[in-house]
Amino acid sequence: MSERTLRLYDTMTRQVKPLELVEPGHLRFYSCGPTVYSYAHIGNFRTFLTADLIIRTAQALGTRVTYVSNITDVGHLTQDDVADAGGEDKMARALQSKEGEQFNNVWELAEYYEDAFLEDWARLNLKEPQVRPRATQHMREQIVAAEQLIAQGNAYETPTGVYFNVESFPSYGKLSGNTQENLKKASREVVLDDNKRDQSDFALWKKDDKHLMQWYSPFGWGFPGWHLECSVMARMYLGETLDLHAGGEDLIFPHHECEIAQSEALTGKPFSNHWIHTRFLQVNGEKMSKSLGNYYTVRFLLEKGADPLAIRYALISGVYTKPLNFTDQSLSDAMGNIDRYRRSDAAVAAGLEAARPGDDAIGTLLEELYDQALDAMCNDLNTSVALAKALEGTRVILREAETLSLASAESGKVYLDRINDLLGIVRPERVLADLQTESAPKVDEARIGALIQERIDAKKAKNFALADQIRKDLEAEGIELRDTPEGTVWVLKSTL
RNA sequence: GGUGCCGUGCCCAAGUGGCCCAAGGGGACGGUCUGCAAAACCGUUAUUCGGCGGUUCGAAUCCGCCCGGCACCUCCA
């Protein structure tokens, strides 16, 4: 194998360092998944794409990967400490919203959005995790963990729930660079709960017998705290010390900080040897929000006519360690690049078919470019450079597209396969039903065909005025004509 | 108030001490092809890296100050 190692920025130590594996040759990786109370937006997917690229890079290096990514299907509180005062949570709120009216209860709502999420996941060519645990299916383990933490003196029960006592875990804050002292004076608008020993203490279990999702526990009816599920499920499927734990930058504090406290208090061992966090995606230079009208979901973009691979390409075009600005322009740029891969793929297929004699004129170059792309990925997932190198390969192929020898075409195939394994941008891995039915322009293919024939006849008669007029009229309808050596073809111009 | 991050060409975006008079994409411009176009392919497009100082033989890269922008601080990928 190669001597390359995957180097990633580690939030804990604030430096780029090699990913060291507890068990050599085997990466055990946990990536925090979404809460399924609504459609996931492209910012969520940027984070999941970081995880996806890590496993692809690790696999390219010959590493076996056990990848776990959860689904949070329990609604957690929109505000801490208001369980008694009405207990509204994200799921309950979603159920009461306009979109939520179609569901009979929160369980159906969660199931619906989970299905939608998995579909978007597949469309963006994300690899399936080995395990995709759900919070609701690990209730017993979570309750046991809370009991153990109480028994060990790291947690205590109050009339409102079970809380983790941060003072019992002195290094609380180490991931986010906070100290407990700073956190205390920094607290903004925390609702005070007199039952808590320390206002920074966080819930392991919330008592609430009116909650829409509730389970029975030794503490009575209620539901688990948000942070507990990840600690419990990560340990269950990956062991006490993970190699790598990932999520969005907003999870650094409090979510991952709390996971560390719970897990390490419980096991006495480091929870994860490496932490990575993806910076936020902005849309048109602003934070995504529903009120600004820039809350882009995958299906919204697909309905506008975007290619799912182009969405993927646009989302990975910047490095995960910096905020990325997603714009309509960046998406259409990406569509052009995806098209180059598609044409390369077609050219290679045609070259294999034609089986022309000749040397392999491109194999060595393509191999170098692949190596450079892989090097870039190993260097803290430098997707910008990796994509640049990968794209250079399409230029090499397309330059000789018409005349590729069989040997060259074979090299091209190997190259595109490897690039696709590494970056997932050449071909969709799963074929899914077309989503863009509703808003796609309706076209009358027979009519276009007739017009094209009319134009061909006009051209033969040297009546170029009429030929140009037909082309112009169709263009006004969003249909573009291209005269190719194989004849005239038409394409639908993108609405983006 | 606390904790982090960022500012590179017209736009997006790599590069974090010499291989950088700064990758790649878009755009623009020129060429090939074409009846003309479109598409495709080829080429050109930053002596310069928010500003000012400093360290160094050498800085976009390190340090200081200033200006501008962003995120988190118990809902958030």
Side-chain angles (χ1 to χ4, degrees), chain A residues 156-163 193 195-197 205 207 219:
Chain A
Y156 55 92
E157 187 175 349
T158 76
T160 58
V162 176
Y163 292 88
D193 179 346
N195 293 308
K196 279 162 59 170
R197 289 183 197 165
W205 186 265
K207 296 180 183 178
F219 329 111

Side-chain angles (χ1 to χ4, degrees), chain A residues 10 42 49 98 147 159 224 259 263 350 375 394 407 448 468 473 491:
Chain A
D10 175 33
I42 55 173
L49 279 162
K98 207 174 163 198
E147 285 185 292
E259 280 188 51
S263 297
D375 282 339
T394 66
I448 296 169
D468 289 350
D473 289 348
V491 293

Side-chain angles (χ1 to χ4, degrees), chain A residues 317-336:
Chain A
S317 61
V319 293
Y320 78 97
T321 47
K322 287 186 189 176
L324 177 70
N325 188 17
F326 185 95
T327 61
D328 291 346
Q329 181 62 245
S330 67
L331 181 58
S332 67
D333 289 358
M335 286 175 91

Side-chain angles (χ1 to χ4, degrees), chain A residues 307 334-344 398 482:
Chain A
D307 185 311
M335 286 175 91
N337 290 332
I338 289 298
D339 196 47
R340 269 169 66 173
Y341 285 100
R342 194 161 288 146
R343 285 186 289 114
S344 302
L398 289 172
R482 295 178 189 169

Side-chain angles (χ1 to χ4, degrees), chain A residues 347-356 406 409:
Chain A
V348 163
L352 291 173
E353 182 81 29
R356 295 180 197 89
L406 177 61

Side-chain angles (χ1 to χ4, degrees), chain A residues 252-266:
Chain A
I252 296 171
F253 188 90
H255 185 54
H256 287 163
E257 203 73 77
C258 295
E259 280 188 51
I260 291 170
Q262 293 162 349
S263 297
E264 299 192 354
L266 215 47

Side-chain angles (χ1 to χ4, degrees), chain A residues 35 63 101 110 114 151 167 213 249 285 306 348 363 380 428 458 462 475:
Chain A
T35 303
T63 306
E101 282 174 3
E114 178 182 319
E167 278 184 357
M213 286 180 162
E249 64 170 314
V348 163
D380 198 19
K462 304 271 183 212
E475 199 178 339

Side-chain angles (χ1 to χ4, degrees), chain A residues 85-222:
Chain A
E88 186 183 48
D89 75 6
K90 279 185 282 184
M91 293 257 183
R93 180 189 278 177
L95 189 65
Q96 284 153 17
S97 73
K98 207 174 163 198
E99 299 79 38
E101 282 174 3
Q102 57 182 310
F103 305 109
N104 290 314
N105 55 54
V106 278
W107 305 89
E108 281 186 13
L109 180 142
E111 199 179 318
Y112 174 84
Y113 286 117
E114 178 182 319
D115 287 349
F117 169 70
L118 294 177
E119 193 180 316
D120 290 347
W121 181 283
R123 279 184 199 282
L124 294 191
N125 254 5
L126 287 142
K127 296 270 191 192
E128 274 304 299
Q130 274 69 39
V131 188
R132 204 192 277 284
R134 283 152 193 83
T136 54
Q137 291 169 1
H138 297 78
M139 258 330 124
R140 207 181 70 82
E141 292 83 355
Q142 293 179 71
I143 291 166
V144 168
E147 285 185 292
Q148 278 181 322
L149 286 166
I150 292 174
Q152 292 180 4
N154 293 293
Y156 55 92
E157 187 175 349
T158 76
T160 58
V162 176
Y163 292 88
F164 186 92
N165 182 219
V166 295
E167 278 184 357
S168 73
F169 190 77
S171 60
Y172 184 76
K174 63 184 171 183
L175 182 68
S176 54
N178 279 301
T179 60
Q180 289 199 35
E181 205 172 303
N182 277 339
L183 286 169
K184 269 173 202 167
K185 62 182 174 190
S187 59
R188 222 170 26 178
E189 291 164 16
V190 179
V191 182
L192 288 172
D193 179 346
D194 293 336
N195 293 308
K196 279 162 59 170
R197 289 183 197 165
D198 187 310
Q199 63 180 19
S200 298
D201 290 353
F202 58 89
L204 300 175
W205 186 265
K206 284 278 186 184
K207 296 180 183 178
D208 183 0
D209 61 8
K210 303 210 170 34
H211 198 75
L212 293 174
M213 286 180 162
Q214 53 174 298
W215 291 263
Y216 191 70
S217 76
F219 329 111
W221 288 95

